Amino acid sequence: MNTISDVRNLFPILNQKVNGKPLIYFDNAATSQKPKQVIEAIENYYSQYNSNIHRGAHYLANLATEAYEHSRQVIAQYLNAETQEINFVRGTTEGINLVAQTYGKANVKAGDEIIVSAMEHHSNIVPWQMLCEEKGATLKVVPIFDSGDLDMEAYEKLLSAKTKIVAVTYISNALGTVNPVQEIIAKAHEVGAVVLVDAAQAVQHKKIDVKALDVDFLAFSGHKVFGPTGIGILYGKRELLEAMPPYMGGGEMIDNVTFEKTTFNKIPYKFEAGTPHIEGGIVLGKAIEFVQEIGLDFIAEKEAELLHYGTQKLSAIDGLRFVGTAQEKCSVISFLVKDIHPYDIGTLLDKQGIAIRTGHHCCQPLMKRLQIEGTCRASFAFYNTAEEIDVFAKALEKSIAMLS
Ligand code: PMP
């Protein structure tokens, strides 16, 4: 396998026309497309063993429970975590909110500080802001350079005994910047802070070893790593998860309930109240197995080629400027052309069958820092091709000519 047409054949959605033109899907940072294995796994679940898990003593309940717990093991191995450190959540957003509302509520007090970076997605800003407001704590922001690189010296200066949590993205969805998370984590630990890494844009591109990183919490979404929407993972160090209060109350997260007092289940079930997204949990494991079959090295190599080629191709376009030129980038190219509104470019590209993202990419504070309203963003996955980039560059030039 692994010729590009073999790879593309695994993704049925790619083989279609949009507005009469072959679809070119360059919005992979928003959500990835799904391979046949994932689509079939969803169908198999509902046609063969749909059942509620952990409760029933019957055949189907056992099959579904085993598949769900097997998936947890697959994901744990993928991240080099312990199985009970893997919590199924709805996605990155819920994972971050969970930590803010449990660990945060229990450990952050008035006068404490929480550090985020200037390039965070709203989902890694707002939960911390809400916590700070509630507790009388302060949100501090690590600045970035115009290139989109984090200012690590400024970060070190912000760290102090007051810092309780550092929450930072591994890879910026808006700029493609790959942050030096290992160093960020080590420095935060020197002042006794815990670190949450937003890995929404990282798991699908990079090998992540939570033990080697020594990260305290890490969250990602299934839909960005070729799996379903509505499911994601929160990794937490066992001793932290065990000490944290529960998040939501309900079935499954309890040990014993009386009207006087409830005791809670052990981790990870303590954080999984109610009937979970069973199909999503099972199929996320299949998506991770798919990534392992394709191989992260293959993925990284293809995406690096596309980033390099795309950057070269677009830099030849008159009036185009890149937004985000960090030293280490993943396969995201954000750009602006002259004073044309990104939305107008996106709309004209769509007419030519090309899907890109335009706007602030849920990073309004970052856009404010860069003094822009938004960008056009092309984000590549390993199933994209240099030929698609050629078509995209031509279509972009045509759109610019129409809008100038
Ligand atoms: N963080 C980053 C860096 C993201 O790119 C995204 C999704 N765009 C999120 C967090 C939020 O992910 P979700 O909406 O899947 O919870």
Side-chain angles (χ1 to χ4, degrees), residues 54-67:
H54 296 145
R55 300 156 198 208
H58 58 82
Y59 179 75
L60 292 184
N62 286 336
L63 278 187
T65 305
E66 270 170 29

Side-chain angles (χ1 to χ4, degrees), residues 78 203-204 225-226 286-296 299:
Y78 186 66
V203 265
Q204 62 278 46
V225 60
F226 317 110
K286 300 282 180 205
I288 296 293
E289 282 173 340
F290 169 77
V291 170
Q292 288 170 319
E293 271 165 42
I294 295 285
L296 274 170
I299 291 175

Side-chain angles (χ1 to χ4, degrees), residues 198-260:
D198 170 351
Q201 297 292 340
V203 265
Q204 62 278 46
H205 303 294
K206 275 190 148 337
K207 172 84 197 115
I208 291 181
D209 179 331
V210 290
K211 288 210 171 74
L213 284 175
D214 197 21
V215 64
D216 302 289
F217 299 105
L218 181 136
F220 71 89
S221 303
H223 69 97
K224 305 221 193 231
V225 60
F226 317 110
T229 54
I231 189 77
I233 295 298
L234 172 69
Y235 159 81
K237 279 183 182 162
R238 186 171 50 79
E239 58 276 20
L240 293 176
L241 293 173
E242 279 173 347
M244 276 152 57
Y247 180 43
M248 291 196 291
E252 197 69 19
M253 53 76 74
I254 53 89
D255 170 37
N256 189 52
V257 180
T258 65
F259 282 116
E260 289 71 40

